[in-house]
mmCIF file of all heavy atoms in Angstrom:
data_model
loop_
_atom_site.group_PDB
_atom_site.id
_atom_site.type_symbol
_atom_site.label_atom_id
_atom_site.label_comp_id
_atom_site.label_asym_id
_atom_site.label_seq_id
_atom_site.Cartn_x
_atom_site.Cartn_y
_atom_site.Cartn_z
ATOM 1 N N ALA A 17 20.628 -4.739 -0.493
ATOM 2 C CA ALA A 17 19.994 -3.658 0.263
ATOM 3 C C ALA A 17 19.085 -2.787 -0.591
ATOM 4 O O ALA A 17 17.992 -2.497 -0.174
ATOM 5 C CB ALA A 17 21.106 -2.763 0.843
ATOM 6 N N LEU A 18 19.485 -2.514 -1.801
ATOM 7 C CA LEU A 18 18.582 -1.732 -2.676
ATOM 8 C C LEU A 18 17.353 -2.527 -3.108
ATOM 9 O O LEU A 18 16.251 -1.966 -3.172
ATOM 10 C CB LEU A 18 19.381 -1.300 -3.910
ATOM 11 C CG LEU A 18 20.438 -0.200 -3.700
ATOM 12 C CD1 LEU A 18 21.165 0.077 -5.018
ATOM 13 C CD2 LEU A 18 19.742 1.037 -3.182
ATOM 14 N N PHE A 19 17.542 -3.808 -3.293
ATOM 15 C CA PHE A 19 16.384 -4.666 -3.718
ATOM 16 C C PHE A 19 15.346 -4.640 -2.631
ATOM 17 O O PHE A 19 14.176 -4.467 -2.839
ATOM 18 C CB PHE A 19 16.840 -6.105 -4.012
ATOM 19 C CG PHE A 19 15.698 -7.062 -4.190
ATOM 20 C CD1 PHE A 19 14.936 -7.029 -5.313
ATOM 21 C CD2 PHE A 19 15.459 -7.976 -3.146
ATOM 22 C CE1 PHE A 19 13.911 -7.877 -5.467
ATOM 23 C CE2 PHE A 19 14.345 -8.825 -3.332
ATOM 24 C CZ PHE A 19 13.562 -8.804 -4.557
ATOM 25 N N PHE A 20 15.811 -4.918 -1.325
ATOM 26 C CA PHE A 20 14.841 -4.962 -0.248
ATOM 27 C C PHE A 20 14.266 -3.562 0.126
ATOM 28 O O PHE A 20 13.114 -3.424 0.487
ATOM 29 C CB PHE A 20 15.447 -5.619 0.977
ATOM 30 C CG PHE A 20 15.580 -7.072 0.836
ATOM 31 C CD1 PHE A 20 16.821 -7.731 0.699
ATOM 32 C CD2 PHE A 20 14.384 -7.856 0.786
ATOM 33 C CE1 PHE A 20 16.880 -9.071 0.594
ATOM 34 C CE2 PHE A 20 14.461 -9.230 0.678
ATOM 35 C CZ PHE A 20 15.733 -9.858 0.545
ATOM 36 N N PHE A 21 15.107 -2.505 -0.127
ATOM 37 C CA PHE A 21 14.555 -1.092 0.042
ATOM 38 C C PHE A 21 13.481 -0.845 -0.927
ATOM 39 O O PHE A 21 12.372 -0.316 -0.473
ATOM 40 C CB PHE A 21 15.722 -0.177 -0.090
ATOM 41 C CG PHE A 21 15.277 1.262 -0.013
ATOM 42 C CD1 PHE A 21 14.890 1.802 1.240
ATOM 43 C CD2 PHE A 21 15.216 2.046 -1.134
ATOM 44 C CE1 PHE A 21 14.490 3.096 1.272
ATOM 45 C CE2 PHE A 21 14.766 3.366 -1.078
ATOM 46 C CZ PHE A 21 14.391 3.884 0.175
ATOM 47 N N PHE A 22 13.656 -1.174 -2.210
ATOM 48 C CA PHE A 22 12.600 -0.900 -3.206
ATOM 49 C C PHE A 22 11.430 -1.810 -3.000
ATOM 50 O O PHE A 22 10.268 -1.363 -3.230
ATOM 51 C CB PHE A 22 13.149 -1.033 -4.598
ATOM 52 C CG PHE A 22 14.107 0.082 -5.022
ATOM 53 C CD1 PHE A 22 15.357 -0.164 -5.436
ATOM 54 C CD2 PHE A 22 13.649 1.359 -4.914
ATOM 55 C CE1 PHE A 22 16.216 0.881 -5.754
ATOM 56 C CE2 PHE A 22 14.455 2.469 -5.199
ATOM 57 C CZ PHE A 22 15.752 2.178 -5.672
ATOM 58 N N LEU A 23 11.610 -3.048 -2.518
ATOM 59 C CA LEU A 23 10.476 -3.889 -2.207
ATOM 60 C C LEU A 23 9.682 -3.358 -1.079
ATOM 61 O O LEU A 23 8.447 -3.329 -1.088
ATOM 62 C CB LEU A 23 10.998 -5.331 -1.868
ATOM 63 C CG LEU A 23 9.944 -6.403 -1.674
ATOM 64 C CD1 LEU A 23 9.284 -6.688 -2.990
ATOM 65 C CD2 LEU A 23 10.686 -7.647 -1.112
ATOM 66 N N LEU A 24 10.378 -2.828 0.007
ATOM 67 C CA LEU A 24 9.675 -2.205 1.124
ATOM 68 C C LEU A 24 8.872 -0.973 0.689
ATOM 69 O O LEU A 24 7.748 -0.789 1.060
ATOM 70 C CB LEU A 24 10.700 -1.853 2.197
ATOM 71 C CG LEU A 24 10.171 -1.178 3.430
ATOM 72 C CD1 LEU A 24 9.374 -2.231 4.235
ATOM 73 C CD2 LEU A 24 11.285 -0.658 4.293
ATOM 74 N N CYS A 25 9.512 -0.148 -0.205
ATOM 75 C CA CYS A 25 8.807 1.036 -0.707
ATOM 76 C C CYS A 25 7.559 0.649 -1.563
ATOM 77 O O CYS A 25 6.537 1.273 -1.461
ATOM 78 C CB CYS A 25 9.760 1.872 -1.629
ATOM 79 S SG CYS A 25 11.031 2.724 -0.668
ATOM 80 N N PHE A 26 7.693 -0.431 -2.321
ATOM 81 C CA PHE A 26 6.509 -0.908 -3.078
ATOM 82 C C PHE A 26 5.370 -1.352 -2.137
ATOM 83 O O PHE A 26 4.231 -0.923 -2.413
ATOM 84 C CB PHE A 26 6.912 -2.099 -3.950
ATOM 85 C CG PHE A 26 5.773 -2.773 -4.705
ATOM 86 C CD1 PHE A 26 5.209 -2.136 -5.733
ATOM 87 C CD2 PHE A 26 5.326 -4.015 -4.289
ATOM 88 C CE1 PHE A 26 4.103 -2.673 -6.420
ATOM 89 C CE2 PHE A 26 4.295 -4.586 -4.944
ATOM 90 C CZ PHE A 26 3.682 -3.940 -6.003
ATOM 91 N N PHE A 27 5.722 -2.106 -1.115
ATOM 92 C CA PHE A 27 4.668 -2.571 -0.167
ATOM 93 C C PHE A 27 4.043 -1.335 0.515
ATOM 94 O O PHE A 27 2.900 -1.254 0.855
ATOM 95 C CB PHE A 27 5.166 -3.552 0.826
ATOM 96 C CG PHE A 27 5.327 -4.936 0.204
ATOM 97 C CD1 PHE A 27 6.493 -5.627 0.342
ATOM 98 C CD2 PHE A 27 4.290 -5.534 -0.504
ATOM 99 C CE1 PHE A 27 6.579 -6.952 -0.209
ATOM 100 C CE2 PHE A 27 4.424 -6.777 -1.084
ATOM 101 C CZ PHE A 27 5.577 -7.512 -0.862
ATOM 102 N N LEU A 28 4.910 -0.327 0.879
ATOM 103 C CA LEU A 28 4.415 0.848 1.538
ATOM 104 C C LEU A 28 3.451 1.648 0.636
ATOM 105 O O LEU A 28 2.390 2.068 1.043
ATOM 106 C CB LEU A 28 5.566 1.762 1.926
ATOM 107 C CG LEU A 28 5.224 3.099 2.619
ATOM 108 C CD1 LEU A 28 4.542 2.855 3.941
ATOM 109 C CD2 LEU A 28 6.452 3.908 2.822
ATOM 110 N N LEU A 29 3.808 1.674 -0.679
ATOM 111 C CA LEU A 29 2.960 2.385 -1.616
ATOM 112 C C LEU A 29 1.599 1.661 -1.780
ATOM 113 O O LEU A 29 0.544 2.265 -1.776
ATOM 114 C CB LEU A 29 3.659 2.511 -2.932
ATOM 115 C CG LEU A 29 2.894 3.196 -4.013
ATOM 116 C CD1 LEU A 29 2.751 4.724 -3.647
ATOM 117 C CD2 LEU A 29 3.677 3.094 -5.346
ATOM 118 N N VAL A 30 1.640 0.341 -1.829
ATOM 119 C CA VAL A 30 0.402 -0.482 -1.911
ATOM 120 C C VAL A 30 -0.480 -0.300 -0.687
ATOM 121 O O VAL A 30 -1.692 -0.136 -0.749
ATOM 122 C CB VAL A 30 0.722 -1.939 -2.091
ATOM 123 C CG1 VAL A 30 -0.527 -2.811 -1.976
ATOM 124 C CG2 VAL A 30 1.341 -2.205 -3.483
ATOM 125 N N THR A 31 0.173 -0.204 0.459
ATOM 126 C CA THR A 31 -0.567 -0.014 1.754
ATOM 127 C C THR A 31 -1.240 1.369 1.739
ATOM 128 O O THR A 31 -2.361 1.504 2.167
ATOM 129 C CB THR A 31 0.344 -0.220 2.945
ATOM 130 O OG1 THR A 31 0.959 -1.493 2.879
ATOM 131 C CG2 THR A 31 -0.407 -0.092 4.275
ATOM 132 N N ILE A 32 -0.493 2.385 1.316
ATOM 133 C CA ILE A 32 -1.060 3.722 1.311
ATOM 134 C C ILE A 32 -2.257 3.794 0.380
ATOM 135 O O ILE A 32 -3.234 4.447 0.726
ATOM 136 C CB ILE A 32 0.083 4.717 0.869
ATOM 137 C CG1 ILE A 32 1.096 4.922 1.971
ATOM 138 C CG2 ILE A 32 -0.556 6.077 0.531
ATOM 139 C CD1 ILE A 32 2.268 5.682 1.593
ATOM 140 N N VAL A 33 -2.173 3.144 -0.788
ATOM 141 C CA VAL A 33 -3.243 3.175 -1.775
ATOM 142 C C VAL A 33 -4.426 2.481 -1.140
ATOM 143 O O VAL A 33 -5.621 2.927 -1.269
ATOM 144 C CB VAL A 33 -2.820 2.582 -3.087
ATOM 145 C CG1 VAL A 33 -3.986 2.296 -4.021
ATOM 146 C CG2 VAL A 33 -1.805 3.482 -3.769
ATOM 147 N N ARG A 34 -4.244 1.329 -0.563
ATOM 148 C CA ARG A 34 -5.341 0.639 0.020
ATOM 149 C C ARG A 34 -6.002 1.308 1.163
ATOM 150 O O ARG A 34 -7.264 1.347 1.342
ATOM 151 C CB ARG A 34 -4.924 -0.736 0.522
ATOM 152 C CG ARG A 34 -4.563 -1.738 -0.628
ATOM 153 C CD ARG A 34 -4.310 -3.125 -0.225
ATOM 154 N NE ARG A 34 -5.559 -3.659 0.322
ATOM 155 C CZ ARG A 34 -5.646 -4.823 0.985
ATOM 156 N NH1 ARG A 34 -4.571 -5.578 1.098
ATOM 157 N NH2 ARG A 34 -6.786 -5.290 1.407
ATOM 158 N N CYS A 35 -5.196 2.014 1.982
ATOM 159 C CA CYS A 35 -5.757 2.777 3.096
ATOM 160 C C CYS A 35 -6.542 3.994 2.560
ATOM 161 O O CYS A 35 -7.602 4.357 3.123
ATOM 162 C CB CYS A 35 -4.682 3.224 4.069
ATOM 163 S SG CYS A 35 -4.013 1.862 5.047
ATOM 164 N N ALA A 36 -6.032 4.607 1.572
ATOM 165 C CA ALA A 36 -6.714 5.760 0.932
ATOM 166 C C ALA A 36 -8.058 5.302 0.366
ATOM 167 O O ALA A 36 -9.057 6.015 0.532
ATOM 168 C CB ALA A 36 -5.878 6.422 -0.103
ATOM 169 N N HIS A 37 -8.033 4.163 -0.232
ATOM 170 C CA HIS A 37 -9.304 3.652 -0.763
ATOM 171 C C HIS A 37 -10.272 3.303 0.278
ATOM 172 O O HIS A 37 -11.539 3.589 0.233
ATOM 173 C CB HIS A 37 -8.982 2.346 -1.622
ATOM 174 C CG HIS A 37 -10.226 1.734 -2.253
ATOM 175 N ND1 HIS A 37 -10.874 0.684 -1.704
ATOM 176 C CD2 HIS A 37 -10.824 2.163 -3.350
ATOM 177 C CE1 HIS A 37 -11.973 0.432 -2.593
ATOM 178 N NE2 HIS A 37 -11.942 1.266 -3.534
ATOM 179 N N LEU A 38 -9.804 2.752 1.432
ATOM 180 C CA LEU A 38 -10.664 2.491 2.573
ATOM 181 C C LEU A 38 -11.264 3.749 3.183
ATOM 182 O O LEU A 38 -12.417 3.820 3.544
ATOM 183 C CB LEU A 38 -9.898 1.751 3.634
ATOM 184 C CG LEU A 38 -10.720 1.392 4.946
ATOM 185 C CD1 LEU A 38 -11.794 0.419 4.600
ATOM 186 C CD2 LEU A 38 -9.681 0.837 5.993
ATOM 187 N N VAL A 39 -10.445 4.840 3.201
ATOM 188 C CA VAL A 39 -10.897 6.117 3.793
ATOM 189 C C VAL A 39 -11.917 6.733 2.924
ATOM 190 O O VAL A 39 -12.963 7.310 3.377
ATOM 191 C CB VAL A 39 -9.739 7.050 4.078
ATOM 192 C CG1 VAL A 39 -10.218 8.466 4.322
ATOM 193 C CG2 VAL A 39 -8.860 6.510 5.170
ATOM 194 N N LEU A 40 -11.741 6.709 1.620
ATOM 195 C CA LEU A 40 -12.649 7.323 0.673
ATOM 196 C C LEU A 40 -13.978 6.558 0.506
ATOM 197 O O LEU A 40 -15.065 7.175 0.305
ATOM 198 C CB LEU A 40 -12.001 7.484 -0.737
ATOM 199 C CG LEU A 40 -10.826 8.367 -0.817
ATOM 200 C CD1 LEU A 40 -10.166 8.374 -2.186
ATOM 201 C CD2 LEU A 40 -11.218 9.836 -0.510
ATOM 202 N N ASP A 41 -13.963 5.288 0.566
ATOM 203 C CA ASP A 41 -15.128 4.487 0.362
ATOM 204 C C ASP A 41 -15.149 3.294 1.360
ATOM 205 O O ASP A 41 -14.801 2.155 0.984
ATOM 206 C CB ASP A 41 -15.221 3.999 -1.005
ATOM 207 C CG ASP A 41 -16.626 3.437 -1.352
ATOM 208 O OD1 ASP A 41 -17.553 3.605 -0.519
ATOM 209 O OD2 ASP A 41 -16.796 2.874 -2.443
ATOM 210 N N PRO A 42 -15.452 3.541 2.615
ATOM 211 C CA PRO A 42 -15.317 2.465 3.589
ATOM 212 C C PRO A 42 -16.246 1.322 3.434
ATOM 213 O O PRO A 42 -16.009 0.145 3.818
ATOM 214 C CB PRO A 42 -15.526 3.198 4.962
ATOM 215 C CG PRO A 42 -16.278 4.361 4.661
ATOM 216 C CD PRO A 42 -15.870 4.750 3.227
ATOM 217 N N TYR A 43 -17.432 1.487 2.868
ATOM 218 C CA TYR A 43 -18.416 0.455 2.803
ATOM 219 C C TYR A 43 -18.140 -0.541 1.696
ATOM 220 O O TYR A 43 -18.482 -1.718 1.717
ATOM 221 C CB TYR A 43 -19.812 1.008 2.595
ATOM 222 C CG TYR A 43 -20.232 1.819 3.779
ATOM 223 C CD1 TYR A 43 -20.319 3.209 3.716
ATOM 224 C CD2 TYR A 43 -20.545 1.179 4.993
ATOM 225 C CE1 TYR A 43 -20.688 3.964 4.777
ATOM 226 C CE2 TYR A 43 -20.902 1.963 6.113
ATOM 227 C CZ TYR A 43 -21.010 3.308 5.999
ATOM 228 O OH TYR A 43 -21.323 4.057 7.112
ATOM 229 N N SER A 44 -17.369 -0.131 0.667
ATOM 230 C CA SER A 44 -16.978 -1.064 -0.370
ATOM 231 C C SER A 44 -15.924 -2.027 0.095
ATOM 232 O O SER A 44 -15.702 -3.067 -0.504
ATOM 233 C CB SER A 44 -16.477 -0.339 -1.610
ATOM 234 O OG SER A 44 -15.332 0.294 -1.385
ATOM 235 N N ALA A 45 -15.158 -1.655 1.134
ATOM 236 C CA ALA A 45 -14.078 -2.493 1.586
ATOM 237 C C ALA A 45 -14.599 -3.667 2.461
ATOM 238 O O ALA A 45 -13.924 -4.699 2.595
ATOM 239 C CB ALA A 45 -13.087 -1.697 2.464
ATOM 240 N N VAL A 46 -15.789 -3.601 2.950
ATOM 241 C CA VAL A 46 -16.409 -4.671 3.733
ATOM 242 C C VAL A 46 -17.013 -5.691 2.761
ATOM 243 O O VAL A 46 -17.792 -5.329 1.853
ATOM 244 C CB VAL A 46 -17.455 -4.123 4.664
ATOM 245 C CG1 VAL A 46 -18.141 -5.341 5.451
ATOM 246 C CG2 VAL A 46 -16.848 -3.172 5.642
#
């Protein structure tokens, strides 16, 4: 349970960083 919880938190953190990058500079993501 802890392993999958931390794995889920890691993917959530990666998604947040990628979305923030997309919001800050949308043209570089294309």
